[in-house]
Amino acid sequence: MAPTQAQVKAALQVGSHASARWLHPGAWWIWALGLAAAASRTLNPLLLVLIISVAALVVHVRKPDAPWARSFMFFFKLGIAIIVIRIFVQVLFGAAIGQTTLFTLPSVILPEWMAGVRLGGPVTFESILMAFYDGLRLATIIICIGAANSLASPSRLLKSVPAALYEIGVSVVVALTFTPKLVADVSRVQSARHLRGRVTRGPRAIAGAAMPVLEGALEGSVTLAAAMDSRGYGRRNDMSVKAKRTSSALLVVGLIAACIGTYGLVAATSPMVLSAPMLIAGVVVSLVAITRSAQSAVRTRYRPDPWWTPEWLVTIAGISVAMCFIIGIWIAPGAMETSIDPAAWPELPLIPLAGLLIAVTPALTAPPIPRTFVDEPRQELQSFEVAA
């Protein structure tokens, strides 16, 4: 059926001019993965901090009013913890780099079979700087994933999974939404304990909240399984065994190739000539397998999320920032990494900076979020909250 004039007009509306609706979760994930891929390609602290700033700004502007949207701060704190742990490991076990000794720890003489391992000794400024850059890069990637968790609705992400991928899709969605659900459960349990005058911080609070949170996670899993079963997940029509095995084999091969190609794009040391063709081949084979498997799926989809102009703009923004960082490595590789021995002030290359300016455009191009979510405190307390 041909789209009406009103549908075409709605598809072209961008930003504040568009009607309030949910952006497709796939677009948010592509945008966030583009930021993560860009972060994996540099050790420049200025660029890494700018990537975090871009993610935080877009999350602040387009974050919905939902419990799972509060997980960005959890990932931000997790990133800080990663940096601290990385520096701590470097101080205790890392080899000394450079000549600027800050202090000297008591060293332990290890047996001969542990040759090559150092415990204690001089700690240099250059080694700490290297650990900080490494930790900041990993923290930036984690924060980008947290931005996707805060912007993309888990339930809509599950609805968007192709019918042929219901088994893998459910596992992936449950894994991706574990942290947002955990943060929401912890917040609810803390609110319940606060209303009862119990402590909400410290070891006693953690011990008291552990069991209600685990019970809530179990109940959530059972509820999700029941909801999926009621919607026809796992039901198939008649299909020959040979056709099923062929589709499954194609899907497994395609996904493995796509994962290898994606890892090659994210890993800075992988050759681009190998990773990009592997990713393209994996995606093509996966699409063929999905098309074959979709013929046997009987699951229907109620009001699927559209993929209109804002979705394309957000996707292009994510891909553009990754491509700008890759081009920046080819043109000026020295500017993408910062010297630690001797220590130097980081540069600010123009091409990656232009990519970051494009990456921040979803704050303007994404449609406004509908304010129809029921505020959490108005809901009745669940059984595990009462137990807290």
Side-chain angles (χ1 to χ4, degrees):
M1 184 174 61
T4 62
Q5 184 177 1
Q7 290 176 332
V8 173
K9 183 179 179 181
L12 297 177
Q13 290 178 339
V14 174
S16 58
H17 299 288
S19 57
R21 66 179 180 89
W22 295 91
L23 195 78
H24 198 289
W28 281 129
W29 270 101
I30 294 175
W31 171 80
L33 291 178
L35 284 177
S40 68
R41 292 285 169 177
T42 181
L43 277 175
N44 188 323
L46 286 181
L47 293 177
L48 293 174
V49 171
L50 286 176
I51 292 174
I52 296 175
S53 302
V54 168
L57 177 61
V58 176
V59 169
H60 175 71
V61 175
R62 296 303 179 192
K63 183 182 68 174
D65 186 15
W68 44 265
R70 304 168 190 167
S71 60
F72 182 75
M73 284 306 299
F74 172 80
F75 283 94
F76 186 81
K77 295 176 182 177
L78 180 61
I80 295 176
I82 289 173
I83 296 175
V84 173
I85 292 173
R86 178 66 181 88
I87 295 176
F88 181 75
V89 171
Q90 177 66 32
V91 169
L92 281 185
F93 305 105
I97 301 175
Q99 304 296 327
T100 310
T101 303
L102 297 177
F103 53 90
T104 303
L105 293 176
S107 59
V108 177
I109 300 176
L110 300 176
E112 295 182 356
W113 58 272
M114 294 185 67
V117 179
R118 190 192 72 125
L119 184 59
V123 178
T124 61
F125 174 73
E126 290 81 2
S127 60
I128 291 182
L129 199 60
M130 181 196 67
F132 174 73
Y133 290 167
D134 282 343
L136 181 61
R137 178 167 61 179
L138 181 57
T140 305
I141 295 174
I142 295 295
I143 291 173
C144 292
I145 301 300
N149 275 278
S150 299
L151 293 170
S153 169
S155 60
R156 292 182 177 274
L157 180 62
L158 182 59
K159 285 174 57 180
S160 303
V161 175
L165 295 176
Y166 64 91
E167 294 173 341
I168 300 175
V170 170
S171 302
V172 172
V173 170
V174 170
L176 293 177
T177 58
F178 172 76
T179 303
K181 292 289 185 183
L182 180 66
V183 172
D185 287 346
V186 170
S187 178
R188 283 199 292 266
V189 171
Q190 284 185 338
S191 299
R193 292 180 63 87
H194 179 72
L195 292 175
R196 287 162 177 77
R198 299 176 182 175
V199 293
T200 57
R201 296 180 182 276
R204 289 183 57 191
I206 295 175
M211 188 56 67
V213 169
L214 292 176
E215 184 181 355
L218 180 61
E219 290 186 356
S221 301
V222 174
T223 303
L224 176 63
M228 291 168 55
D229 182 69
S230 65
R231 286 164 174 78
Y233 275 84
R235 299 173 188 171
R236 291 176 177 270
N237 56 14
D238 295 334
M239 189 176 183
S240 64
V241 177
K242 182 179 179 180
K244 289 180 181 178
R245 291 178 178 176
T246 303
S247 300
S248 301
L250 287 175
L251 184 59
V252 171
V253 172
L255 290 178
I256 291 176
C259 291
I260 294 175
T262 304
Y263 174 78
L265 289 177
V266 174
T269 57
S270 300
M272 185 62 62
V273 179
L274 177 63
S275 55
M278 184 70 75
L279 177 59
I280 295 173
V283 170
V284 171
V285 174
S286 299
L287 289 177
V288 172
I290 290 172
T291 304
R292 289 172 55 89
S293 300
Q295 299 174 357
S296 64
V298 296
R299 182 171 66 94
T300 59
R301 187 180 302 174
Y302 176 67
R303 299 176 65 180
D305 290 326
W307 189 281
W308 287 343
T309 304
E311 278 79 5
W312 283 113
L313 294 178
V314 172
T315 301
I316 292 173
I319 297 175
S320 298
V321 65
M323 294 304 298
C324 286
F325 273 67
I326 293 173
I327 294 173
I329 292 177
W330 288 346
I331 295 179
M336 301 299 290
E337 295 188 0
T338 305
S339 174
I340 57 173
D341 188 18
W345 184 257
E347 302 179 21
L348 192 58
L350 294 180
I351 295 180
L353 182 61
L356 290 173
L357 292 177
I358 298 174
V360 81
T361 54
L364 302 175
T365 59
I369 301 296
R371 302 296 180 184
T372 57
F373 188 82
V374 179
D375 198 9
E376 179 193 357
R378 298 177 183 175
Q379 297 178 348
E380 295 182 358
L381 291 178
Q382 300 181 11
S383 58
F384 64 90
E385 296 169 347
V386 175

